[in-house]
Amino acid sequence: MEVRRWHIIIGFTILFVTYALVLLNIQVFSKNYKMRAEANIVERVVEYPLRGMIYDRNGKLLASNAAVFDVMIVPKVFKVLPQDSLELAGMLDYTIEELRYNIKKAKYYSWYKPSVFKKQLTESEYAKIQDKIIRYKGLSIQARTIRSYPHKSLANALGYVKEVTRDFLKKDSANYYQSGDLIGKSGIEKFYEKELRGQRGVSYIMKNVKGVTKGKFEDGKLDTIPQVGATLTSSIDLDLQAYGELLMKDKKGAIVAIDPSTGEILAMISAPSYDPNELTGEGKRLSKRYGDLSRDTNKPLFNRAMQSRYPPGSTFKTVMAMIGLQTGAVDTLTTYFSCNKRLVGCHNHDSPLNLKGSIINSCNPWYYQEIRRMLNDEGKRYETSDLLRKTLDDWKIDVQDYGLGRKLGVDMPYEKGGLVPSSKLYDRIYKGGGWKISTIHSISIGQGEVLAMPIQLANLGAIIANRGYYYSPHIIKSIGGKGPLEQYKEKHKVDIKPEYVDHIARAMADVPRIGTARRAYSPDIVICGKTGTAQNPHGEDHSIFMGFAPLYNPKIAIAVYVENAGFGGTWAAPIASLMMEKYVNGIVKRPYLEKYVNSVNLIQREKERKEKERLLKERREKAKERLKAQQLLRQKRDSIAVTTSSES
């Protein structure tokens, strides 16, 4: 018994000492327990940085920030009496069902971590509830900012920001974004997201059990200061941008204007567009606005300047002329071709023509005959040859040198590359062969398989204005005062002699004076350009103009597309002319031309044309049905007559 008693005493002693050591370690030596205890009274507050501002080239604000307030909830602390639920729901503009759903959603996220209970109250909405919200334990207010756009211009280029989705958060390998964060979804906001977003800050605040703030945790040693996003200075001239949007009112299409000496984009218009403020904020209102815009048949969210692939039409003849000169297929003095309309259709003008005359009069047969020379085919071959494949592929490389058929590397998302056909493409189309010059000749006048974006044609205008070189088009000229990205400082030279380009430029100077763009003529500046009319299987032809001004020391290169508008000289040319005059001279002295451009609603006109086509088609179908019914009736009568005659 004595031995057993000592065993029990020793056992209890060891157990006591063990517990004492564990408790000593937890309460004195271990920091883990201390941190857990402090976590009950320390609140981690994320401080969102201001998103970087965006200005135009003249210092006018394009994108700024507006204050909003999120109502945060901690489910573990939150308590609301049944009689107070209706009042709280009314304060937050919720139904009782929505209130319960959001409480459940917060609990699902975390019982202990704060989450957003009501998103983005405006200053006026917050002012109405700030004295009442403090009565509810577990609810707090977190201030943040959303995007605001002081002007209604440049929506497609600026883009918009939106809250990150769960799917995005799963793919965020850097683990930077958190639920509720905003991210650029299109335009400048997306491309320069890293520069604009800044860096979040965090502060730790001590609170007592009643939620009263007692001060900074450890005197703010663990706090980090939010870093404001970089300020971006765009190359956009807001006055020119707004003027272009006015000229494109009630029209579909695009305008891109570039400073040839730098590649800076002066204006980027996609029409029709929308007010950029329509896509600010979050929640049901944003979802409805976005849904309405995305369902609009005119596609206002679609950036036609960067993403619409149109046939370049006769503007492409300038490329054909320059390649022809550089390769020696044609020259400026002795090469004359007749306007042989048996080869391809054309309008009436003098014939034969030299190269300059072909540009001024936009002669289609001239370029049909030129491409036969360029591809070493005089129309005698009826099957595809290896020589034809090689010369076509060489031609494609020459065309791509002018920035066509590939991406230019613009500092905007979702840029498309256009299309310049190759022998492989035609082999696929014609199943290995059987194509020849007469099959593909439409590429010589910018039709067929040749496709380009408006920004590519504006860059083509810059190449001619510079007599053979360009800088990649870009819309941001300075990031935080340090200039553009490095790739936009690099000069790209085209493989052509400057004197050849100058010959084309001087020919383009005569197009508004005596050629196909006489509505674009200005007595104050020398406007150089080339019209184009792109065939459109879905409606009236597209009106196109590409050019620059003035002839020497040019300040602006431009491309204009007006959908379903007819000839290039009818609508695109005068619009481009007004834009160039506005930028070069700072004032427009041709109000009659402005009145003409704004005199018609081309969207409504196209809608009416399609309605007439629909009604005409419907009448034809009904006429066919009546004719068919009459034929059946005659057959039935004839059958009865035959039967009666037989019986007789």
Side-chain angles (χ1 to χ4, degrees):
M1 291 295 292
E2 185 69 20
V3 173
R4 186 178 295 175
R5 185 169 65 86
W6 278 106
H7 284 172
I8 294 171
I9 291 172
I10 292 170
F12 273 105
T13 302
I14 293 172
L15 186 64
F16 175 78
V17 171
T18 302
Y19 272 108
L21 290 173
V22 171
L23 290 172
L24 182 67
N25 180 60
I26 290 174
Q27 297 187 28
V28 178
F29 299 108
S30 176
K31 293 182 179 180
N32 188 42
Y33 178 80
K34 180 183 178 183
M35 291 174 65
R36 288 183 180 181
E38 287 171 344
N40 291 324
I41 60 170
V42 176
E43 182 178 343
R44 182 179 183 272
V45 179
V46 176
E47 297 185 11
Y48 289 89
L50 291 173
R51 196 168 175 85
M53 303 284 200
I54 304 175
Y55 293 88
D56 90 328
R57 67 188 301 110
N58 299 313
K60 295 179 181 178
L61 191 61
L62 297 176
S64 60
N65 302 294
V68 293
F69 303 87
D70 292 339
V71 179
M72 310 297 291
I73 182 172
V74 180
K76 180 68 176 176
V77 184
F78 176 71
K79 287 178 183 171
V80 61
L81 297 173
Q83 59 268 27
D84 294 332
S85 297
L86 192 60
E87 180 190 29
L88 180 60
M91 286 167 51
L92 301 179
D93 193 25
Y94 281 153
T95 63
I96 289 294
E97 290 74 18
E98 288 173 330
L99 183 73
R100 291 170 181 165
Y101 170 78
N102 282 281
I103 294 171
K104 185 177 180 181
K105 183 179 176 183
K107 289 177 179 178
Y108 178 78
Y109 172 73
S110 173
W111 273 82
Y112 303 95
K113 294 180 181 179
S115 60
V116 178
F117 190 51
K118 176 70 178 182
K119 294 178 181 178
Q120 300 181 4
L121 298 175
T122 64
E123 291 187 23
S124 60
E125 289 171 336
Y126 171 58
K128 294 177 183 177
I129 69 167
Q130 61 178 335
D131 294 331
K132 301 175 184 178
I133 204 75
I134 58 175
R135 300 204 310 262
Y136 297 90
K137 286 185 177 181
L139 295 185
S140 61
I141 297 294
Q142 179 175 274
R144 61 190 303 185
T145 59
I146 60 170
R147 240 6 186 183
S148 175
Y149 304 98
H151 303 278
K152 296 183 179 181
S153 295
L154 202 67
N156 297 92
L158 284 172
Y160 65 96
V161 295
K162 194 176 182 182
E163 185 177 324
V164 293
T165 62
R166 287 185 182 179
D167 290 339
F168 177 84
L169 290 174
K170 291 177 182 177
K171 298 175 184 177
D172 181 22
S173 57
N175 292 320
Y176 175 84
Y177 295 95
Q178 299 176 4
S179 179
D181 284 356
L182 299 177
I183 187 172
K185 298 296 289 184
S186 68
I188 296 171
E189 298 280 16
K190 179 176 176 65
F191 191 91
Y192 288 96
E193 168 64 18
K194 289 184 180 179
E195 290 80 5
L196 287 168
R197 73 188 182 189
Q199 185 67 41
R200 282 192 302 266
V202 178
S203 61
Y204 297 89
I205 300 172
M206 295 183 63
K207 292 186 176 182
N208 62 20
V209 292
K210 295 183 179 180
V212 178
T213 301
K214 305 299 290 183
K216 292 278 188 179
F217 175 64
E218 292 194 0
D219 296 325
K221 292 179 182 178
L222 301 178
D223 294 357
T224 56
I225 300 173
Q227 297 178 11
V228 178
T231 296
L232 302 184
T233 301
S234 79
S235 55
I236 293 293
D237 184 312
L238 185 58
D239 291 339
L240 185 68
Q241 176 77 23
Y243 184 64
E245 290 176 0
L246 179 64
L247 295 177
M248 289 297 289
K249 184 182 178 183
D250 299 325
K251 302 173 185 68
K252 289 183 185 178
I255 303 174
V256 179
I258 295 175
D259 182 343
S261 64
T262 60
E264 294 171 0
I265 297 172
L266 302 171
M268 180 180 282
I269 294 107
S270 177
S273 187
Y274 60 96
D275 181 349
N277 291 293
E278 290 185 60
L279 295 183
T280 57
E282 286 293 333
K284 292 182 179 179
R285 287 177 293 182
L286 174 62
S287 297
K288 184 181 184 305
R289 290 194 295 266
Y290 183 84
D292 291 342
L293 289 170
S294 61
R295 286 188 295 270
D296 191 328
T297 55
N298 291 322
K299 299 182 180 180
L301 293 174
F302 184 62
N303 189 349
R304 288 172 164 86
M306 294 280 298
Q307 297 171 280
S308 279
R309 304 201 309 172
Y310 302 100
S314 292
T315 61
F316 190 70
K317 292 173 182 174
T318 58
V319 177
M320 289 292 298
M322 288 185 286
I323 293 174
L325 289 171
Q326 186 66 18
T327 58
V330 297
D331 61 53
T332 59
L333 297 175
T334 63
T335 302
Y336 279 82
F337 291 129
S338 63
C339 182
N340 186 350
K341 295 178 184 177
R342 289 175 296 176
L343 298 174
V344 61
C346 194
H347 50 275
N348 295 323
H349 57 74
D350 294 338
S351 180
L353 295 171
N354 60 13
L355 187 145
K356 184 177 182 180
S358 75
I359 294 289
I360 296 171
N361 294 282
S362 195
C363 180
N364 292 334
W366 201 98
Y367 290 92
Y368 178 93
Q369 294 168 84
E370 185 208 26
I371 198 169
R372 284 184 4 191
R373 278 194 184 180
M374 290 171 64
L375 302 186
N376 296 310
D377 188 304
E378 295 300 327
K380 298 175 182 178
R381 296 183 180 87
Y382 295 94
E383 294 297 329
T384 313
S385 66
D386 290 338
L387 177 62
L388 182 56
R389 285 190 176 93
K390 182 183 181 304
T391 52
L392 179 66
D393 291 339
D394 290 342
W395 171 84
K396 176 181 178 176
I397 294 171
D398 291 336
V399 173
Q400 288 180 322
D401 201 23
Y402 289 86
L404 301 174
R406 60 180 177 84
K407 293 181 180 179
L408 291 169
V410 184
D411 54 346
M412 295 275 284
Y414 313 123
E415 178 189 4
K416 289 187 178 179
L419 178 64
V420 177
S422 65
S423 62
K424 290 182 179 179
L425 175 64
Y426 286 124
D427 282 342
R428 286 200 303 271
I429 295 173
Y430 294 97
K431 298 180 180 180
W435 54 273
K436 48 190 180 294
I437 293 296
S438 59
T439 311
I440 65 171
H441 73 271
S442 60
I443 61 175
S444 66
I445 55 174
Q447 293 288 166
E449 290 72 34
V450 179
L451 298 173
M453 269 66 65
I455 194 164
Q456 292 178 326
L457 287 193
N459 186 63
L460 174 60
I463 291 172
I464 301 172
N466 292 331
R467 302 325 192 248
Y469 70 88
Y470 69 96
Y471 293 91
S472 295
H474 54 284
I475 201 166
I476 296 300
K477 64 182 294 185
S478 179
I479 303 170
K482 297 179 181 179
L485 297 173
E486 286 301 315
Q487 62 262 37
Y488 300 118
K489 300 175 184 178
E490 181 183 354
K491 181 188 287 189
H492 302 279
K493 293 184 178 180
V494 179
D495 183 21
I496 187 169
K497 294 179 180 179
E499 56 266 32
Y500 291 157
V501 189
D502 185 63
H503 186 81
I504 302 302
R506 286 185 282 110
M508 291 170 67
D510 282 337
V511 172
R513 190 174 64 86
I514 58 174
T516 58
R518 300 190 186 189
R519 279 197 175 100
Y521 176 75
S522 171
D524 296 328
I525 56 172
V526 179
I527 290 174
C528 308
K530 181 70 191 77
T531 57
T533 305
Q535 293 177 1
N536 172 28
H538 307 293
E540 196 170 348
D541 294 342
H542 300 322
S543 178
I544 315 167
F545 185 89
M546 175 276 295
F548 62 92
L551 175 60
Y552 299 107
N553 191 24
K555 300 292 191 299
I556 182 174
I558 195 167
V560 178
Y561 268 87
V562 186
E563 295 182 16
N564 312 123
F567 295 114
T570 306
W571 294 105
I575 290 173
S577 174
L578 290 169
M579 289 283 287
M580 288 189 275
E581 183 180 359
K582 171 79 171 175
Y583 185 73
V584 174
N585 292 343
I587 187 172
V588 175
K589 296 181 180 179
R590 294 177 289 169
Y592 62 89
L593 194 58
E594 290 178 316
K595 185 178 180 181
Y596 163 75
V597 167
N598 292 315
S599 65
V600 65
N601 185 330
L602 292 177
I603 293 178
Q604 183 61 31
R605 190 178 79 175
E606 179 64 12
K607 185 178 178 181
E608 291 172 355
R609 187 195 65 78
K610 286 184 176 180
E611 180 62 17
K612 287 180 181 178
E613 279 191 355
R614 188 190 66 80
L615 293 173
L616 182 60
K617 185 178 179 181
E618 194 176 276
R619 284 197 293 268
R620 285 173 179 170
E621 291 296 327
K622 288 181 179 179
K624 287 181 181 178
E625 288 176 3
R626 285 196 300 269
L627 181 61
K628 189 175 181 180
Q630 289 171 358
Q631 289 174 344
L632 289 172
L633 184 60
R634 288 196 198 98
Q635 290 174 0
K636 188 174 181 180
R637 287 174 178 171
D638 292 344
S639 177
I640 293 171
V642 170
T643 303
T644 304
S645 175
S646 175
E647 290 175 352
S648 299

